Amino acid sequence: GAVVSQHPSWVICKSGTSVKIECRSLDFQATTMFWYRQFPKQSLMLMATSNEGSKATYEQGVEKDKFLINHASLTLSTLTVTSAHPEDSSFYICSAPSLAGGNTGELFFGEGSRLTVL
Amino acid sequence: AQTVTQSQPEMSVQEAETVTLSCTYDTSENNYYLFWYKQPPSRQMILVIRQEAYKQQNATENRFSVNFQKAAKSFSLKISDSQLGDTAMYFCAFMKPSTASKLTFGTGTRLQVTL
């Protein structure tokens, strides 16, 4: 199956700094990618839909100035957590739709990135 | 808005036994997709099985099968001949065809397969 890779897997940063997480589709092109946030022992919460060449679509309640998303190419989407605070500590996961075409709902997921803000 | 409920936070099953994970959902849609995704410890989430709501036949993938009850809005996952590698978080998910692969996930069930 298709491969989606995230980097970094782990990141620890000081409060007030910004952190960038990359999501790459390694063997296919993804015009759309999804960014999720997962709290411990909880479900995945969709944060935003990243669209290649255009602005991301954010879910209700997600601060777009806090979580900057850029989808500059067909294989790379980035999530930047700006001025991070301890409450931003979480597991962030990206995904891209299946190559099968159509709206099948099959997603390929990245490995996830665990952010800890001190 | 759609909601997906998984009422079993944790379950345990012995190797080679069968286990059923529950999922219910709420929607006013008639056509939709349902999924079970597996998230192994420290590994990527992967698709286990998918069901289209317009299909009456329950989906099966090797040892994995579903019991889809559309009227009851129930979508349970049965794992037969459980293996140690089945240990993972299992998420039930819902999707409307019009939403470009945007999924609504349940809260997950942590399955532990024991010797």
Side-chain angles (χ1 to χ4, degrees), chain B residues 14-103:
Chain B
Q14 284 193 320
E15 201 176 19
E17 297 295 309
T18 295
V19 64
T20 299
L21 308 184
S22 301
C23 173
T24 57
Y25 57 95
D26 187 25
T27 184
S28 58
E29 303 289 327
N30 186 51
N31 190 27
Y32 47 87
Y33 295 97
L34 294 164
F35 309 84
W36 279 97
Y37 276 89
K38 169 185 177 181
Q39 187 180 36
S42 303
R43 292 181 63 184
Q44 284 154 294
M45 190 173 297
I46 55 174
L47 177 67
V48 175
I49 200 164
R50 181 174 76 114
Q51 174 84 40
E52 290 105 333
Y54 64 84
K55 288 187 178 178
Q56 292 189 331
Q57 188 173 10
N58 289 325
T60 63
E61 285 288 340
N62 301 312
R63 297 183 295 108
F64 299 88
S65 61
V66 298
N67 183 2
F68 173 48
Q69 302 288 329
K70 191 172 183 180
K73 295 180 182 173
S74 170
F75 183 61
S76 60
L77 174 70
K78 186 171 86 170
I79 306 175
S80 304
D81 186 25
S82 297
Q83 300 175 0
L84 295 177
D86 295 333
T87 293
M89 279 288 287
Y90 287 81
F91 291 96
C92 180
F94 173 100
M95 188 197 87
K96 288 195 299 185
S98 59
T99 58
S101 297
K102 207 164 144 177
L103 302 182

Side-chain angles (χ1 to χ4, degrees), chain A residues 2-49:
Chain A
V3 179
V4 173
S5 180
Q6 272 182 253
H7 178 81
S9 302
W10 293 81
V11 58
I12 301 173
C13 69
K14 292 183 179 179
S15 188
T17 60
S18 293
V19 174
K20 181 188 283 188
I21 300 170
E22 294 186 345
C23 179
R24 292 183 185 273
S25 54
L26 297 185
D27 52 358
F28 68 105
Q29 294 181 332
T31 56
T32 300
M33 288 185 177
F34 300 100
W35 285 97
Y36 298 86
R37 184 172 178 175
Q38 186 179 27
F39 292 100
K41 296 187 178 182
Q42 292 190 31
S43 187
L44 280 72
M45 257 185 37
L46 180 64
M47 298 174 65
T49 302

